[in-house]
């Protein structure tokens, strides 16, 4: 009789433990579903685009930004990258801003750099995400389209930063580089007496998304 009681108690304990384990598994599965549900969309007016150009042989940085960028063909996605993939953008070059106190730098860039190119009013492009989640942008400038690979930084699940390097020879823009270098010859001359404007430009974008 005592043995039967012990067996019954043991079975009750096993059942109780089994129920607790099942409950934990169910709760964990629910948590995982909650974490993966929802969709992302790009907040159009939150995107910021900046660049860093370089002058002199010492490669002195000159920063700037474009204050206007328009996004089109945005969509909803299960992930931030899915929402971004295929997004197109257009940037009016007239929105250039380099925070130059003299007020002379921006007009020179517009005239002697962008003014030397074809279709100088707009920079256009498309954001692309590959199957392995690597990102890039196709950029159209000077009548030519070329690709810039991007490194992404996740600041939060709805905020991303992207960095890349634009080699202007890929857009046949070396003539424009020579033009701006000549216009700014004294300012682009370093300690070695050489005037130089680099064809390499670092690009940066901050993108904010909404999670629905």
């Amino acid at each position: 009789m005592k043995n039967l009681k012990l067996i019954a108690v043991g079975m009750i304990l096993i059942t109780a433990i089994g129920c607790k384990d099942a409950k934990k598994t169910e709760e964990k599965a629910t948590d995982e579903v909650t974490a993966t549900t929802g969709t992302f969309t790009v907040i159009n007016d939150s995107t910021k685009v900046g660049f860093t150009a370089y002058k002199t042989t010492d490669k002195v940085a000159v920063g700037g930004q474009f204050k206007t960028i328009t996004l089109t063909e945005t969509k909803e996605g299960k992930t931030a990258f899915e929402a971004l993939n295929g997004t197109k953008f257009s940037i009016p070059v007239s929105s250039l801003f380099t925070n130059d106190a003299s007020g002379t730098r921006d007009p020179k860039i517009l005239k002697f750099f962008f003014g030397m190119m074809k279709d100088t009013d707009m920079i256009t492009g498309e954001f692309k995400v590959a199957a392995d989640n690597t990102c890039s942008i196709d950029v159209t400038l000077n009548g030519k389209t070329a690709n810039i690979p991007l490194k992404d930084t996740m600041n939060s699940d709805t905020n991303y930063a992207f960095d890349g390097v634009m080699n202007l020879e890929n857009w046949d823009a070396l003539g424009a580089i020579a033009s701006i270098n000549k216009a700014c010859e004294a300012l682009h001359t370093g300690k070695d007496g050489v005037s130089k404007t680099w064809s390499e430009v670092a690009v940066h974008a901050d993108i904010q998304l909404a999670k629905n």
Side-chain angles (χ1 to χ4, degrees), residues 74-92:
T74 57
K75 61 184 180 182
E76 231 176 14
K78 293 179 181 178
T79 66
F81 281 7
E82 186 178 311
L84 284 166
N85 191 26
T87 297
K88 293 186 178 180
F89 60 86
S90 59
I91 302 169

Side-chain angles (χ1 to χ4, degrees), residues 31-208:
D31 289 343
E32 287 175 351
V33 169
T34 302
T36 56
T37 55
T39 57
F40 293 84
T41 53
V42 182
I43 302 174
N44 286 359
D45 58 357
S46 70
T47 300
K48 297 178 181 178
V49 176
F51 63 88
T52 304
Y54 304 96
K55 64 180 183 179
T56 78
T57 51
D58 289 332
K59 207 173 185 180
V60 176
V62 179
Q65 61 178 300
F66 290 99
K67 299 182 81 172
T68 301
I69 176 170
T70 301
L71 303 181
T72 58
E73 300 192 26
T74 57
K75 61 184 180 182
E76 231 176 14
K78 293 179 181 178
T79 66
F81 281 7
E82 186 178 311
L84 284 166
N85 191 26
T87 297
K88 293 186 178 180
F89 60 86
S90 59
I91 302 169
V93 299
S94 59
S95 68
L96 172 75
F97 178 69
T98 63
N99 198 28
D100 173 41
S102 72
T104 60
R105 182 191 292 148
D106 294 3
K108 280 186 177 180
I109 295 172
L110 291 173
K111 180 178 180 179
F112 296 105
F113 180 68
F114 288 110
M116 298 297 107
M117 299 185 191
K118 301 173 184 176
D119 306 322
T120 59
D121 290 342
M122 287 281 181
I123 301 169
T124 60
E126 181 179 350
F127 192 96
K128 294 189 169 183
V129 181
D132 60 356
N133 272 343
T134 55
C135 302
S136 67
I137 47 173
D138 279 349
V139 174
T140 301
L141 176 70
N142 197 28
K144 186 170 182 179
T145 301
N147 186 263
I148 303 175
L150 298 174
K151 177 183 177 182
D152 62 273
T153 302
M154 180 180 176
N155 299 317
S156 71
D157 62 344
T158 57
N159 184 276
Y160 286 79
F162 296 93
D163 291 277
V165 176
M166 187 176 192
N167 294 302
L168 289 165
E169 58 264 34
N170 295 333
W171 287 265
D172 296 334
L174 294 182
I177 287 289
S179 173
I180 190 66
N181 189 68
K182 185 176 180 180
C184 302
E185 186 173 1
L187 293 171
H188 290 202
T189 299
K191 296 176 183 178
D192 57 2
V194 176
S195 180
K196 181 177 177 65
T197 303
W198 293 71
S199 61
E200 174 187 318
V201 179
V203 294
H204 177 87
D206 293 301
I207 297 177
Q208 183 74 35

Side-chain angles (χ1 to χ4, degrees), residues 21-35:
D21 288 344
K23 187 177 180 181
K24 285 181 181 178
T25 302
E26 184 180 343
E27 287 175 353
K28 184 178 179 183
T30 302
D31 289 343
E32 287 175 351
V33 169
T34 302

